[in-house]
Amino acid sequence: MEKVTTESVVKAYRRYARYYDLVFGAIFHPGRRTAIEHLHMRPGQRILEVGVGTGLSLSMYPSTVRVVGIDLSAEMLEKAREQARDLPQVEALLEMDAQKMTFEDNSFDKVVAMYVATVVPDVSEFYREVKRVCKPGGEIIILNHFQNKNQVIRRAEHFIQPLARYLGFHPDFPMEEFIARTGFEVTTAVPVNLLDYWTVLVGINDK
Ligand SMILES: C[S@@+](CC[C@H](N)C(=O)[O-])C[C@H]1O[C@@H](n2cnc3c(N)ncnc32)[C@H](O)[C@@H]1O
């Protein structure tokens, strides 16, 4: 199996940045909306969005919170900065690896990662960092596609797995493996988007 590396992700998203919004904008929007609703934000709270990409979600946060977005890709962040120009809720958009964040422990009230968990090279390191920077008791929301339960679709996903390095993600990553490798405790799981093919996982930081 081709391994997803930090370099392959940076390279893939350098290519995708130009047409990302066109291809993955509207079609992924219902999931983004549901994920952000489940943050149950209160005025003054500080939210971290990991893998903010081109910033398609930024206008969905209320102007009463502060949002920090991080991403590995400078090209995706450049687009996000354009999106954020008139959004007072956006505190910062930073080039940073989710597996080695430079934030202090407990820096954020809540953390959300949308369409990122199966793109990061090491999901255990990613989640360890998410827990570290999130305050105890804060919501952690993971929106992702996990391996399909349908046998036919599953076979197709397995077939394209060797392209993972090129695509920059693992198309056949099972949710059970994600949970086993991270220890994520799911309190709610909401199927979203076309054919309910993606899932919003809600958890509470129990550290
Ligand atoms: C599929 S895109 C999702 C973008 C955005 N969240 C959205 O809703 O459209 C995945 C994003 O995760 C970023 N990413 C992947 N691995 C990362 C890492 N280790 N640290 C930070 N960002 C990462 C990629 O650069 C890319 O912008």
Side-chain angles (χ1 to χ4, degrees):
M1 185 178 94
E2 290 279 6
K3 201 169 151 27
V4 176
T5 63
T6 302
E7 292 71 32
S8 68
V9 171
V10 169
K11 211 167 143 197
Y13 284 94
R14 183 174 300 143
R15 268 197 314 266
Y16 293 161
R18 219 171 313 145
Y19 57 88
Y20 185 88
D21 292 5
L22 196 66
V23 180
F24 301 109
I27 195 159
F28 280 0
H29 250 41
R32 292 185 187 102
R33 201 168 294 286
T34 303
I36 290 176
E37 274 165 18
H38 279 84
L39 283 168
H40 302 303
M41 291 168 281
R42 290 194 298 280
Q45 289 190 321
R46 194 169 184 232
I47 317 294
L48 173 65
E49 188 179 323
V50 178
V52 66
T54 59
L56 287 166
S57 57
L58 293 172
S59 63
M60 297 178 188
Y61 294 92
S63 57
T64 52
V65 300
R66 291 172 295 147
V67 182
V68 175
I70 65 162
D71 204 283
L72 264 185
S73 164
E75 288 78 8
M76 296 288 274
L77 279 172
E78 204 180 303
K79 302 264 175 199
R81 290 189 182 114
E82 283 166 31
Q83 292 267 3
R85 211 174 295 142
D86 298 317
L87 299 175
Q89 62 269 43
V90 181
E91 180 186 312
L93 294 166
L94 308 168
E95 196 174 324
M96 194 185 295
D97 186 350
Q99 300 170 154
K100 279 180 247 132
M101 296 190 218
T102 56
F103 304 117
E104 301 281 316
D105 296 356
N106 307 331
S107 294
F108 299 94
D109 294 287
K110 294 146 197 255
V111 180
V112 58
M114 297 182 271
Y115 313 111
V116 179
T118 47
V119 177
V120 292
D122 188 323
V123 76
S124 320
E125 275 180 39
F126 151 79
Y127 192 63
R128 198 168 39 241
E129 279 292 88
V130 165
K131 280 187 82 162
R132 182 183 69 75
V133 302
C134 183
K135 290 180 186 170
E139 280 91 343
I140 296 178
I141 312 276
I142 307 287
L143 161 56
N144 225 85
H145 160 66
F146 296 99
Q147 187 186 61
N148 207 276
K149 304 267 184 238
N150 179 299
Q151 285 285 343
V152 178
I153 298 176
R154 210 146 90 186
R155 230 169 284 141
E157 287 171 344
H158 185 71
F159 183 69
I160 63 166
Q161 180 62 33
L163 291 173
R165 187 205 264 267
Y166 179 76
L167 296 168
F169 80 116
H170 300 280
D172 69 352
F173 191 61
M175 190 190 295
E176 295 72 22
E177 189 180 330
F178 170 75
I179 291 169
R181 284 176 58 187
T182 58
F184 188 89
E185 284 186 33
V186 181
T187 57
T188 311
V190 189
V192 289
N193 294 340
L194 200 65
L195 306 172
D196 286 346
Y197 195 61
W198 288 260
T199 311
V200 172
L201 295 180
V202 183
I204 301 293
N205 197 4
D206 58 355
K207 71 178 174 192

